Structure formats: structure tokens, C-alpha cells
Amino acid sequence: MTSRKVVRLFFTTLLVGGISTIITGVLYGYKEYFGYLQDLRFTKLLLEASWLFILGLVFSAVSQMGFFAYLTVHRFGLGFFKSPQVWNVIQIGLIMFALFDLAYFRLIEFAKDGDSYVGYILFPVILFVCSLLVAYIKSKETNKGAFIPALFFMIVVTIVEWIPALRQDDLSWLILMAVPLFVCNTYQLLTLHRILKS
């Protein structure tokens, strides 16, 4: 891994984060942005898009810190436990614990009487299904042994990176942060082996 490849991955991930945040923000608040277009308020639209892009750069930086931290932790785990199978079992346990916490702690923190549990279970289920898909692609493009580490990264590390938004009971922030983080994590995970081969 040369410094040129690291710099390339860094800047392309920044761009992915900025663009994905703009798309997420516009799709989530499409009525507001459509109103700007109808009223010909192009300056306001440009300012909002610029703010979303800058926010996306921040999300991307958080994603990249998480990614390189996981690469370090993964190597440490393999070295400490001496067996990929043992390390995989531990990662599976941590995946289950993280998904449970994602639903349970938000439920006990923010649920009000009469609230449906579905809203609190939905995020873990969506994250799990999407992460399974990404991990499957990673294992198909590299090797079967990459499946559990990829799944761990996409679930556990994404949840850890997502904590600032999870501490708020605000659906818009949850979505606005979750999608770019997941997209950036997916991009880095599926790009790393391609960059190393180039």
C-alpha cells in the first residue's frame, strides 16, 4: 500500500461522503428543496447543498477513522487469538451484541408509552440485511474468510461511528448520518482490495 494509494482512497472517500450526504439530505427533505426550486431560490438551494457536502466530508472523515482503526483491531485480534476461527466467533458475538444494543438501548432511552417496537427494531434489521449483502460481495471478490470480518466492520464499526446521532431522538439526523457512513464504509471495504491489486 503506497502513500499515493492511501491519498487516493482518502480523497475519493471524502467525495463519496459529500455526494452521498447531499443525495440523502435532498431525498429526505425533498419537499423543502423542491420548494426552493419552485420559488427560484437557487442561492438558498446552493447554500443548503454546500452545507450538506461539508457535513458529508465530516461523516467521511469519521468513516475513514473507523476503517483504519478496524484494520488495526483486526490484525491485533488475529495476532492475539492466534486462530482466525476463534477471532471470527468473537466477532459474531460482538455483532449480535451490537445489533441488540442498537434496538434495546434506544428503546429504553426514547420509547414512550404506546410506542411501537417496530421503529426501534427497523434500524438493526436494515443494517444487518444491507451489511450481509456487502459482506457477501466482499467475500466473492476476495475469499470466504473475508465474510465475517466484513460483516463485523459494516455492522459494529458503523454503529460505533453512528453514536453521535444515536444519542439524539431525531429521525432526520439518524438517517442523514447513517446513509453516508454506510456508503463510505461500503466504498472503502470494496475498494481496498482493488487498490491493493492495481
Side-chain angles (χ1 to χ4, degrees):
M1 188 71 161
T2 64
S3 58
R4 183 179 60 82
K5 291 179 180 179
V6 171
V7 169
R8 176 181 156 198
L9 182 62
F10 173 77
F11 282 107
T12 54
T13 307
L14 280 180
L15 192 59
V16 167
I19 292 171
S20 62
T21 304
I22 291 174
I23 293 170
T24 304
V26 169
L27 290 178
Y28 186 76
Y30 71 95
K31 291 181 181 177
E32 180 184 355
Y33 294 101
F34 187 67
Y36 295 151
L37 284 175
Q38 282 184 319
D39 299 339
L40 302 177
R41 298 169 64 189
F42 297 116
T43 305
K44 178 68 173 173
L45 184 63
L46 184 62
L47 286 173
E48 290 285 340
S50 299
W51 179 81
L52 287 171
F53 185 78
I54 292 169
L55 192 61
L57 298 182
V58 175
F59 294 157
S60 175
V62 170
S63 169
Q64 292 187 64
M65 285 189 289
F67 183 62
F68 286 103
Y70 174 68
L71 292 178
T72 303
V73 168
H74 182 61
R75 282 291 150 206
F76 175 79
L78 286 172
F80 183 80
F81 294 106
K82 307 294 184 187
S83 166
Q85 289 78 18
V86 173
W87 177 228
N88 282 344
V89 169
I90 291 169
Q91 288 182 100
I92 291 170
L94 291 172
I95 288 168
M96 294 168 62
F97 181 74
L99 288 171
F100 173 78
D101 280 357
L102 179 58
Y104 180 72
F105 283 118
R106 290 196 70 251
L107 179 67
I108 63 172
E109 183 69 25
F110 300 118
K112 301 173 182 65
D113 290 337
D115 279 0
S116 171
Y117 295 158
V118 175
Y120 296 95
I121 296 171
L122 197 59
F123 277 122
V125 169
I126 292 172
L127 180 61
F128 179 68
V129 171
C130 294
S131 297
L132 276 176
L133 178 62
V134 174
Y136 173 76
I137 294 170
K138 178 71 174 182
S139 65
K140 289 292 284 185
E141 292 186 359
T142 55
N143 59 72
K144 290 181 181 179
F147 182 81
I148 297 301
L151 190 64
F152 179 90
F153 171 70
M154 292 306 302
I155 292 175
V156 177
V157 177
T158 299
I159 290 173
V160 171
E161 295 166 349
W162 198 16
I163 285 175
L166 291 172
R167 297 171 84 174
Q168 311 298 319
D169 191 20
D170 187 334
L171 183 61
S172 59
W173 271 109
L174 284 171
I175 293 172
L176 189 62
M177 189 173 190
V179 175
L181 282 176
F182 191 85
V183 170
C184 286
N185 285 345
T186 300
Y187 174 77
Q188 290 176 101
L189 190 67
L190 298 182
T191 302
L192 182 64
H193 60 274
R194 296 170 185 162
I195 287 179
L196 291 174
K197 289 178 181 177
S198 64

